[in-house]
Amino acid sequence: MEQHKNESHTQTSLPLSPFTQPIRCIVKLGGAAITSKNELEMINEEILQKVSEQLREAMVASSEKPPGMDWSKRPGASEIFCNPEEFGDHSAIDCSPFIVVHGAGSFGHFQASKSGVHKGQLNKPLVKGGFVATRISVTTLNLEIVRALAREGIPSIGMSPFSCGWFTSERHISSADLSSVAKAIDSGFTPVLHGDAVLDEIQGCTILSGDAIISHLAAYSKPIYVVFLTDVYGVYDRPPTEPNAILLKEIAVAEDGSWSVVKPKLQNSIELTVAAHDTTGGMKTKIAEAAMIAKLGIDVYIVKAATSHSLRALNGDLRSSIPDDWLGTVVRSLR
């Protein structure tokens, strides 16, 4: 059984958590799933809509769709669709407490890699310009995701790490004001965070990945489970485009954060690739971050977005047992 050490940075002791109520789950919308990663700043509208519908089905306790909350004009539309009278016929929206974090996909990565924002040195004009350009790009995507969720009746609120007091030191989170996230949840909202350009105490600035944000949030909010929605069915033993690539169904995490593949039994070593323009580390980093979450006793499901498999994961149907016909990867603690 191949063992993999987890080199992901973690804090040794946690200050008091501001979260006062149980969080059902944290959902990561992978950038590659919700955007066309090879086409600059292009949202995959079909996938985003389906993901939003599934989140409503899983998180909102209602047999009918709640009224939409996006009362702004959409591109190409001639008028704003808004019917406040709809709300008069509905009882209060019963939405499970959950948090959404999304990656950047074809938003932000281009700007960040061209300017080297992740390497720091804000005193360089190119880096400072790239920092601004990156944030314009990722907050544009954040707004569109918030709007897609709002159209499904999910009371979503965009929360950018830069604006909400997240800081790093040598690219690791050094401080984050989680009280704003906790207060949003206590008020009945669904926070929607994203990978962002942030200030770094040592190197000036860097890119804070959505996966690192999820690890940090999970440590404090202690969700029941975490779901990573991706553009492939889960984690494979090699790039999934290669012939004979094998889907890793279950990954077990030891107390020291090292991980090993439990299902299926593998003969060969695992290759994990990183896209050339991805400034946040690719699949190996994702497994390391998932392992850090699983080490806390929280199950992590990595599954293809907008499929029947993702809906089962979002519903929490996999917590007792993993059905043989479910396609995805479960990362869980050995304990």
Side-chain angles (χ1 to χ4, degrees), residues 52-53 56-57 59-70 81 83 86-87 89-95 149-155:
S52 302
E53 289 172 0
R56 171 179 53 78
E57 288 177 47
M59 300 298 160
V60 179
S62 174
S63 56
E64 57 184 57
K65 181 179 172 181
M69 300 179 192
D70 178 12
F81 179 77
N83 185 7
E86 280 188 301
F87 285 84
D89 300 330
H90 278 261
S91 54
I93 296 164
D94 184 9
C95 186
L149 294 170
R151 286 193 290 273
E152 290 299 316
I154 296 171

Side-chain angles (χ1 to χ4, degrees), residues 167-182:
F167 297 94
T168 58
S169 179
E170 292 182 311
R171 300 176 73 172
H172 297 299
I173 295 168
S174 57
S175 63
D177 179 12
L178 299 181
S179 63
S180 54
V181 178

Side-chain angles (χ1 to χ4, degrees), residues 4-325:
H4 295 263
K5 286 215 161 113
N6 192 345
E7 297 168 357
S8 184
H9 179 84
T10 186
Q11 293 172 316
T12 51
S13 60
L14 296 176
L16 196 65
S17 170
F19 293 92
T20 59
Q21 62 171 303
I23 305 297
R24 182 171 166 188
C25 77
I26 300 176
V27 179
K28 165 70 189 298
L29 305 185
I34 54 172
T35 72
S36 304
K37 202 153 186 178
N38 295 321
E39 197 170 343
L40 188 62
E41 298 189 344
M42 179 66 69
I43 295 172
N44 188 325
E45 299 280 0
E46 185 182 347
I47 296 292
L48 179 55
Q49 182 181 338
K50 184 67 177 173
V51 165
S52 302
E53 289 172 0
Q54 288 193 348
L55 283 168
R56 171 179 53 78
E57 288 177 47
M59 300 298 160
V60 179
S62 174
S63 56
E64 57 184 57
K65 181 179 172 181
M69 300 179 192
D70 178 12
W71 300 351
S72 295
K73 206 165 91 167
R74 298 199 67 194
S78 58
E79 57 186 32
I80 292 173
F81 179 77
C82 165
N83 185 7
E85 291 174 5
E86 280 188 301
F87 285 84
D89 300 330
H90 278 261
S91 54
I93 296 164
D94 184 9
C95 186
S96 295
F98 76 106
I99 301 170
V100 174
V101 181
H102 64 83
S106 61
F107 290 73
H109 281 304
F110 167 78
Q111 292 85 349
S113 59
K114 280 290 181 188
S115 57
V117 170
H118 56 294
K119 297 175 183 175
Q121 296 183 295
L122 259 181
N123 57 318
K124 291 184 175 178
L126 173 63
V127 175
K128 184 160 283 183
F131 189 98
V132 172
T134 300
R135 294 212 67 253
I136 288 171
S137 187
V138 295
T139 54
T140 297
L141 176 61
N142 180 252
L143 177 60
E144 290 306 311
I145 290 169
V146 167
R147 291 184 71 176
L149 294 170
R151 286 193 290 273
E152 290 299 316
I154 296 171
S156 49
I157 297 289
M159 306 187 82
S160 292
F162 176 87
S163 308
C164 292
W166 292 64
F167 297 94
T168 58
S169 179
E170 292 182 311
R171 300 176 73 172
H172 297 299
I173 295 168
S174 57
S175 63
D177 179 12
L178 299 181
S179 63
S180 54
V181 178
K183 284 173 183 170
I185 289 170
D186 287 343
S187 301
F189 294 108
T190 298
V192 184
L193 292 85
H194 59 88
D196 204 0
V198 296
L199 300 178
D200 187 281
E201 292 159 6
I202 303 298
Q203 63 179 44
C205 64
T206 193
I207 297 297
L208 177 61
S209 75
D211 296 329
I213 292 167
I214 286 183
S215 284
H216 196 76
L217 283 170
Y220 286 91
S221 66
K222 298 290 195 299
I224 301 169
Y225 53 96
V226 171
V227 182
F228 283 71
L229 298 176
T230 69
D231 62 331
V232 290
Y233 279 103
V235 179
Y236 289 79
D237 66 332
R238 68 198 74 185
T241 50
E242 288 190 10
N244 305 319
I246 298 169
L247 178 65
L248 310 181
K249 297 285 295 258
E250 189 171 347
I251 293 172
V253 181
E255 283 192 37
D256 64 356
S258 63
W259 54 272
S260 53
V261 178
V262 177
K263 286 183 189 173
K265 303 291 183 195
L266 295 177
Q267 308 298 318
N268 304 317
S269 63
I270 297 169
E271 303 168 35
L272 298 166
T273 59
V274 178
H277 62 276
D278 191 341
T279 55
T280 59
M283 191 52 80
K284 190 164 189 178
T285 305
K286 291 187 197 314
I287 298 177
E289 297 289 359
M292 293 308 297
I293 297 166
K295 203 171 84 161
L296 302 169
I298 301 164
D299 280 6
V300 180
Y301 310 120
I302 303 171
V303 61
K304 188 170 184 175
T307 61
S308 60
H309 309 287
S310 59
L311 182 57
R312 288 160 89 177
L314 292 169
N315 275 329
D317 295 344
L318 311 172
R319 290 177 54 219
S320 52
S321 63
I322 309 299
D324 290 338
D325 65 346

